[in-house]
Amino acid sequence: MSARRLPWTRTRTDAEPTVASPIGPPGVAVQPRRLDLGEGMCASLVVTGYPREVGLGWLEPLLTYPGRLDVAVHVEPIPPQLAATRLRRQLARLEAGARSDFEHGRLVDFGADTAAGDAQDLAARLARSEVRLFRVGLTLTIHAHTPEQLDDEIARVRALAAGLLIDAKPATFRSLQGWITTLPLGVDLLDVKRTFDTSALAAAFPFTSPDLHADLGEHAVLYGVNAASSSLVMWDRFTCDNHNSVILARSGAGKSYLAKLDILRSLFTGVEVCVIDPENEYERLAHAVGGAHLALGAEGVRLNPFDLPPGAHRSSTDALTRRALFIHTFISVLLETPLTPADRAALDRAIVAAYHSAGLTADPRTWTRQPPVLADLAHTLQTDGDPAANELAARLAPYVTGTWRQLFDGPTTTRPDSHLIVFSLRDLPEELKTVGTLLTLDAVWRRVTDPTMRKPRLVVVDEGWLLMRQPEGARFLFRMAKASRKHWAGLSVITQDAADVLGSDLGQAVVANAATQILLRQAPQALDQITEAFHLTDGERQLLASAHRGQGLLAAGSDRVAFEVVASPAEHALATTDPKFLAELDQQPTGGFTGSPRRGPYALPDEEDDDL
């Protein structure tokens, strides 16, 4: 068959303007085994044989081939009724062949016997509506500049396919149809298909890294791109043994940036998120998605420690007792000194009396009334007559009538109820940091443990080393790490001081109870401790020592994958804290952001974004 030029193409002179040149080649010459496309050429391979069993990301070697290789997967769903009919016919043919071999004394065809067993299993699962069937066609188009180079590339691709137990045949005399099949047109002119079930088809898509083996549920989120390939690293914390995670990195490595992307993508899957934000970094994010932002320490913002959990009168019989016990802890932290037995006795009497004066008794029907405030407790202590009670009242005076009363001077002003709740602690004075943190942690824990509001939740604690320095904060993280799974919640601790976290028993317990562990770039001083704690290899240690911003290691049990964070322009505008970028963002008339995608927590120049 001689070469021929397609009738709709013609040679363009240099003087003629062109519109089609950016779309396709100026001409196509069809050869029996290849196409000549302008300055290059290509050949197509059609896959006719597949392995019996495939794993997650089994097409990854083809997708990461170093040469120019187009891979097209065409999927056509088969109606269940038609699929059942075809399976019955296939089973009948296989059984008839086996019976004929037996009657004629021929040896058993082990391939046909295995195929019959697979068909029976597939028919049973199809009858139970556990799977669906699809007709799938896989076509490969290889590009090169010379015929010799094209022959070498074809040999390499066929050898690679053979290593995957894939039988790839040249599309002889159908090279034009093969090329069109791999174009992004959704047209399969070769129509060489094989029947796949749902799980085999899902494994063929490069949507997850083959280095991660956890099942992807409805709450899977994208973490980034596999650093060793082009596959996407997706992970679902709610399919693991526990739902906790830790992000350890040095300052500026992109840990908060990654946490914000995780929050945004988790919200999209229906997960409720609570954030403890010590530096007010999540305010823009909360406002952008319609969340609730509570800035403790700001004017007019108050939290009443006497508040009972929402719905306590319907779900608990000891909520008032538990709240009284918490008030003991709260007063002890507030006064920064341990209470003596006499102080505890006087305080216990005053707490009960304060609740009774507000009309709240042991009867759950009274728990919907307005609870007392700290001033009511101080007044009860003053009128008690016990010297220990009077001394406690005097010590509480700065928080009731003095300069530190702002956080407790009245009922709770805001009861956050949203899909994203951010508690900002930046505006709290240093003297109230500890007690403000305690109130925030208590509010989060009451929401997580509320049995009337069961839903998947994520509690994000940024700069976790600040909480680890406080006994109450460290105990909260430990309790959340241990018990959050029972309440369908996950704890995400983000910290830049790995030494403080790994240097304490409570910190090590938090890390040990995190099924998902993310390590970004580490400081040289912390590398030895990180290597020992996470049993890193020499290659993984070198990766964390030299990683760029947004590059790191995701570890989940025995599964580990190096990845690079990828964000859309809208996500980047919400997650970044780069002052220069924020200044440019504020100067834009629309307040929005347009531009090329961003890889990692930094803006790449436009000319470097072509590969995204």
Side-chain angles (χ1 to χ4, degrees), residues 185-206:
L185 302 176
V187 178
D188 185 4
L189 297 183
L190 294 179
D191 197 27
V192 179
K193 291 186 171 67
R194 174 75 174 268
T195 301
F196 278 46
D197 64 2
T198 307
S199 59
L201 177 60
F205 284 83

Side-chain angles (χ1 to χ4, degrees), residues 286-372:
H287 293 328
V289 301
H293 181 262
L294 186 63
L296 299 184
E299 184 177 358
V301 177
R302 298 188 296 270
L303 278 181
N304 184 12
F306 290 81
D307 286 340
L308 294 177
H313 61 288
R314 297 189 302 269
S315 60
S316 177
T317 58
D318 61 347
L320 191 61
T321 302
R322 291 179 177 273
R323 185 63 4 191
L325 294 175
F326 171 76
I327 298 300
H328 279 271
T329 303
F330 167 74
I331 296 298
S332 179
V333 173
L334 187 66
L335 300 180
E336 298 182 350
T337 56
L339 299 180
T340 65
D343 294 338
R344 290 187 178 278
L347 180 61
D348 192 67
R349 292 194 305 270
I351 293 172
V352 175
Y355 273 113
H356 284 182
S357 64
L360 282 76
T361 66
D363 187 355
R365 292 176 296 180
T366 65
W367 294 351
T368 57
R369 299 172 181 172
Q370 183 72 28

Side-chain angles (χ1 to χ4, degrees), residues 2 34 50 63 67 99 101 126 164 182 225-226 244 287 333 342 344 382 389 400 471 513 548 576 592 594 603 611:
S2 60
R34 72 170 193 264
Y50 296 84
L63 300 174
R99 185 175 303 175
D101 291 341
L126 185 64
L164 300 175
T182 55
V225 175
N226 192 320
N244 305 331
H287 293 328
V333 173
R344 290 187 178 278
Q382 289 175 349
V400 176
N513 284 275
H548 300 293
T576 185
T594 58
D611 62 336

Side-chain angles (χ1 to χ4, degrees), residues 166-187:
I166 295 175
D167 190 8
K169 302 291 186 182
T172 306
F173 296 108
R174 304 189 69 187
S175 54
L176 176 61
Q177 290 84 345
W179 176 60
I180 295 176
T181 298
T182 55
L183 292 178
L185 302 176
V187 178

Side-chain angles (χ1 to χ4, degrees), residues 359-540:
L360 282 76
T361 66
D363 187 355
R365 292 176 296 180
T366 65
W367 294 351
T368 57
R369 299 172 181 172
Q370 183 72 28
V373 296
L374 189 61
D376 298 327
L377 177 65
H379 176 72
T380 305
L381 289 170
Q382 289 175 349
T383 59
D384 185 273
D386 186 349
N390 294 333
E391 183 181 354
L392 282 176
R395 295 171 64 184
L396 288 176
Y399 306 99
V400 176
T401 59
T403 55
W404 294 341
R405 71 180 187 277
Q406 183 176 358
L407 186 59
F408 320 105
D409 190 20
T412 298
T413 55
T414 304
R415 294 183 182 273
D417 186 9
S418 179
H419 55 289
L420 172 61
I421 305 173
V422 177
F423 296 89
S424 177
L425 308 179
R426 186 185 64 177
D427 296 332
L428 279 175
E430 288 298 324
E431 295 77 7
L432 296 179
K433 281 279 189 183
T434 302
V435 70
T437 301
L438 176 63
L439 290 177
T440 301
L441 301 179
D442 175 67
V444 171
W445 183 249
R446 281 187 287 144
R447 189 172 185 87
V448 167
T449 58
D450 186 358
T452 64
M453 303 172 58
R454 293 193 183 277
K455 61 175 63 175
R457 288 187 173 92
L458 176 62
V459 180
V460 179
V461 180
D462 203 348
E463 301 298 347
W465 63 275
L466 294 174
L467 292 184
M468 296 300 297
R469 296 187 307 178
Q470 305 169 6
E472 289 301 324
R475 280 193 286 270
F476 167 80
L477 293 181
F478 177 74
R479 180 171 57 174
M480 276 288 297
K482 287 287 190 180
S484 58
R485 178 186 61 84
K486 302 176 183 178
H487 302 285
W488 205 5
L491 172 66
S492 179
V493 178
I494 307 156
T495 182
Q496 65 181 6
D497 200 335
D500 281 357
V501 174
L502 298 176
S504 66
D505 293 339
L506 291 179
Q508 291 180 4
V510 170
V511 173
N513 284 275
T516 305
Q517 300 165 348
I518 300 176
L519 305 175
L520 303 180
R521 184 172 183 177
Q522 302 294 323
Q525 298 80 358
L527 269 177
D528 292 338
Q529 194 170 9
I530 291 289
T531 301
E532 181 180 358
F534 293 92
H535 306 288
L536 301 180
T537 64
D538 292 340
E540 293 168 344

